[in-house]
Amino acid sequence: FRGSEKNMRILFLTRLYHPHIGGVEKHVEYVSQELIKLGHNVTVVTEKYESNLRTKEIKNEVKIIRFSYPKVKFVGQVLIWIWLFKNRALIEQSDIVHCHDAFIWYLPFRFLYSKKPVYTTFHGWEGVWPIPWKNIFLRKLSAKLSWGSICIGKYIEKYYGFKANFITYGAVDTSLIRSDEVKEKGRIVYVGRLGKGTGVGLFLSWLDGNKKYKIDFCGDGTLRKRCEKYGKVYGFVDPKPFLEKAEYCVPGGYLAALEAMAAKCKIKVFWNNPLKRDYWQMTPFHKWIKNKNIDEAFEWAKSQSWQSMAGNYQKLWNK
């Protein structure tokens, strides 16, 4: 019903966005920029997580609209719905509404605008194991009420009980793709959140028996102080210079893994529950991680571009 030849007005709903650093934030930012190159207009509605951020701004041709709400259970969600209702012109003027792990924001408007195409990208899991039943219910409901969906990882279908239109694992910034890095033997970089559910705790326990390595942490979180006992914690910074020199990377998620493969790092992964095990083992690249096949992993990572990712979104919408 909507060919790629038509310039579409796309509304993305996502909890966090640039300048906040994270996998979802980077995904939405890079996909938005690629869609703009294809001639579409993109508006991102997101949380104003710091008071000094602008309520409205345009960055790299992406229109960003931020709003604040109290982090109070139920009350906060109702206030999000009220804000969106007051600003419903954003929905009305859009050809496509696409939620990034934020379908609950749009829930009442799915019925108010029943003919408005709405889609969802499911980016990960909530970090709680076993998964609470309400989390599974909300995801299944979101998938059911969406016109189509993308899952970042095959494991999501298994653990949340629905089928997506597309399965993907992220994409790679082309500036990371190099094959001539000089690696520093024994250097490991961890990239991702320093918290429970990421595998970082098991990584630290592994380091207790492998003290010969030099460790850099590109991330932050509740386990920061513990990580500082093993190496230097830089916070959420650009991992590119660390990946270029590290022999190994311990990724907290798919995006970090793809970037590490593009930088020709060997990859180590850790898990502490069945979901996180399947998170890694149900990927097309796990065999290369297991066998330390750097060259094949590098070639596959090169093919995962943000341009092709944006193409998946267009294919989804055109269905």
Side-chain angles (χ1 to χ4, degrees), residues 68-88:
S68 302
Y69 63 95
K71 304 301 187 294
V72 179
K73 205 169 185 178
F74 303 121
V75 174
Q77 184 55 62
V78 170
L79 292 175
I80 291 173
W81 289 336
I82 292 172
W83 185 93
L84 276 172
F85 183 77
K86 289 179 179 178
N87 293 274
R88 59 191 179 278

Side-chain angles (χ1 to χ4, degrees), residues 102-117:
F103 188 89
I104 189 66
W105 289 9
Y106 191 74
L107 182 59
F109 304 95
R110 172 65 177 85
F111 305 100
L112 185 61
Y113 300 102
S114 60
K115 295 183 179 180
K116 178 72 64 175

Side-chain angles (χ1 to χ4, degrees), residues 125 129 131 135-136 140 154-162 273-279 282:
W125 69 301
W129 179 260
I131 306 173
N135 293 3
I136 296 174
K140 292 180 78 168
K154 183 72 176 173
Y155 77 99
I156 293 177
E157 290 184 330
K158 175 179 178 179
Y159 285 90
Y160 291 89
F162 65 88
N273 61 61
L275 182 149
K276 199 64 178 180
R277 176 200 62 209
D278 288 341
Y279 179 98
M282 293 177 73

Side-chain angles (χ1 to χ4, degrees), residues 104-290:
I104 189 66
W105 289 9
Y106 191 74
L107 182 59
F109 304 95
R110 172 65 177 85
F111 305 100
L112 185 61
Y113 300 102
S114 60
K115 295 183 179 180
K116 178 72 64 175
V118 56
Y119 302 84
T120 303
T121 297
F122 298 96
H123 284 271
W125 69 301
E126 299 83 358
V128 179
W129 179 260
I131 306 173
W133 69 267
K134 70 176 184 65
N135 293 3
I136 296 174
F137 171 77
L138 285 174
R139 287 220 168 176
K140 292 180 78 168
L141 179 66
S142 301
K144 182 72 173 177
L145 294 177
S146 297
W147 288 31
S149 63
I150 296 173
C151 280
I152 310 299
K154 183 72 176 173
Y155 77 99
I156 293 177
E157 290 184 330
K158 175 179 178 179
Y159 285 90
Y160 291 89
F162 65 88
K163 288 289 183 182
N165 297 86
F166 289 94
I167 302 291
T168 185
Y169 296 90
V172 176
D173 181 354
T174 54
S175 67
L176 278 169
I177 298 174
R178 294 178 56 192
S179 58
D180 60 345
E181 291 92 347
V182 177
K183 299 297 187 179
E184 183 180 335
K185 292 292 184 181
R187 172 75 65 177
I188 302 178
V189 58
Y190 177 91
V191 181
R193 185 171 56 86
L194 306 180
K196 295 180 180 179
T198 62
V200 67
L202 287 176
F203 170 49
L204 298 180
S205 297
W206 178 84
L207 285 174
D208 288 334
N210 296 271
K211 298 182 182 296
K212 62 180 181 178
Y213 294 99
K214 301 174 185 176
I215 318 299
D216 296 312
F217 294 91
C218 295
D220 208 339
T222 55
L223 297 179
R224 177 176 182 131
K225 287 191 177 297
R226 186 179 167 192
C227 291
E228 287 174 342
K229 298 176 182 178
Y230 295 84
K232 187 167 183 179
V233 178
Y234 293 87
F236 289 110
V237 297
D238 182 1
K240 180 180 176 182
F242 298 92
L243 291 170
E244 286 178 347
K245 67 180 181 180
E247 180 183 10
Y248 290 92
C249 174
V250 177
Y254 293 143
L255 193 59
L258 263 67
E259 292 180 342
M261 286 187 280
K264 282 205 164 183
C265 295
K266 299 172 187 175
I267 296 176
K268 290 183 178 292
V269 292
F270 297 85
W271 56 76
N272 56 3
N273 61 61
L275 182 149
K276 199 64 178 180
R277 176 200 62 209
D278 288 341
Y279 179 98
W280 291 114
Q281 291 189 351
M282 293 177 73
T283 66
F285 52 83
H286 183 260
K287 56 187 176 183
W288 301 317
I289 293 177
K290 185 178 179 180

